[in-house]
């Protein structure tokens, strides 16, 4: 097994290789505006570090979000392209699940990432492998009662400390953790992967104008 994992649903552009036992190589760069520019060089970098070529990959793992429209598309389109070119499966996972897995927390907690517009993408977990709510997008103040007293993983905790006072690591996504979670599921024969489709949770910022100026020929 050799999994190529990637996630661009957050400001972290992250790529990793996992051989079924451990992470072989990993890259992570935090830059919310350069997903398209950074992703493919990161793939080349981890392959070179591992001394492998792309045709050695047996499966693709990709974070499906939730995340902003443009960044999220970069990872999903790249994952689908690699899977098609290599004729290998692509396994989608919730981005929040990768952060939860990386935390190693074995008590109830929350993952919260930056959704912009003064909102967070978030979900509750019983432990690092068990999500108990669907991913959602809300203003932090609106969910204060639901997360009170719980540790919080992710950048959202740092952005809104008044609601999330117990911030825990990691702050940013790790493709290595996402790949490790996928490898566990595959080894256990668990087929609860998500389709590699974007989880937006809200409409994109860019909208088609509703009213066009009507021009009639003279």
């Amino acid at each position: 097994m050799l999994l190529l994992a990637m996630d661009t649903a957050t400001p972290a552009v992250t790529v990793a290789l996992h051989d079924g036992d451990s992470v072989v190589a990993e890259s992570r760069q935090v830059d919310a505006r350069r997903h398209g520019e950074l992703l493919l060089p990161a793939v080349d970098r981890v392959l070179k570090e591992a001394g492998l070529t792309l045709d050695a990959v047996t499966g693709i793992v990709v974070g499906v979000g939730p995340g902003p429209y443009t960044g999220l598309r970069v990872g999903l389109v790249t994952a689908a392209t690699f899977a098609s070119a290599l004729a290998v499966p692509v396994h989608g996972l919730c981005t929040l699940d990768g952060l939860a897995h990386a935390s190693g927390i074995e008590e109830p907690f929350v993952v919260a990432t930056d959704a912009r517009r003064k909102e967070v993408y978030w979900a509750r977990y019983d432990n690092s492998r068990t999500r108990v709510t669907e991913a959602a997008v809300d203003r932090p103040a609106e969910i204060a009662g639901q997360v009170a007293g719980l540790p919080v993983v992710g950048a959202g905790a740092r952005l809104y400390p008044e609601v999330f006072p117990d911030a825990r690591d990691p702050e940013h996504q790790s493709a290595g953790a996402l790949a490790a979670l996928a490898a566990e599921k595959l080894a256990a024969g668990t087929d609860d992967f998500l389709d590699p489709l974007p989880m937006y949770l809200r409409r994109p910022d860019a909208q088609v104008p509703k009213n066009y100026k009507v021009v009639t020929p003279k």
Side-chain angles (χ1 to χ4, degrees), residues 55-122:
D55 58 8
V57 170
T58 61
I60 308 294
V61 179
V62 65
V64 303
Y69 183 76
T70 303
L72 181 53
R73 278 192 309 169
V74 171
L76 287 165
V77 169
T78 302
T81 301
F82 281 152
S84 177
L86 298 170
V88 300
V90 57
H91 308 293
L93 288 172
C94 176
T95 292
L96 304 181
D97 290 355
L99 282 155
H101 189 73
S103 76
I105 298 175
E106 296 306 318
E107 62 179 324
F109 69 103
V110 173
V111 174
T113 62
D114 182 16
R116 305 175 187 172
R117 303 184 191 174
K118 298 182 180 180
E119 295 178 328
V120 292
Y121 297 117
W122 70 285

Side-chain angles (χ1 to χ4, degrees), residues 197-211:
L197 300 173
M199 186 188 298
Y200 294 131
L201 300 187
R202 67 185 182 204
R203 295 180 64 83
D205 292 331
Q207 299 289 331
V208 176
K210 294 180 180 180
N211 298 309

Side-chain angles (χ1 to χ4, degrees), residues 14 16 45 106 140 151 153 156 165:
T14 179
R45 190 160 52 249
E106 296 306 318
V153 169

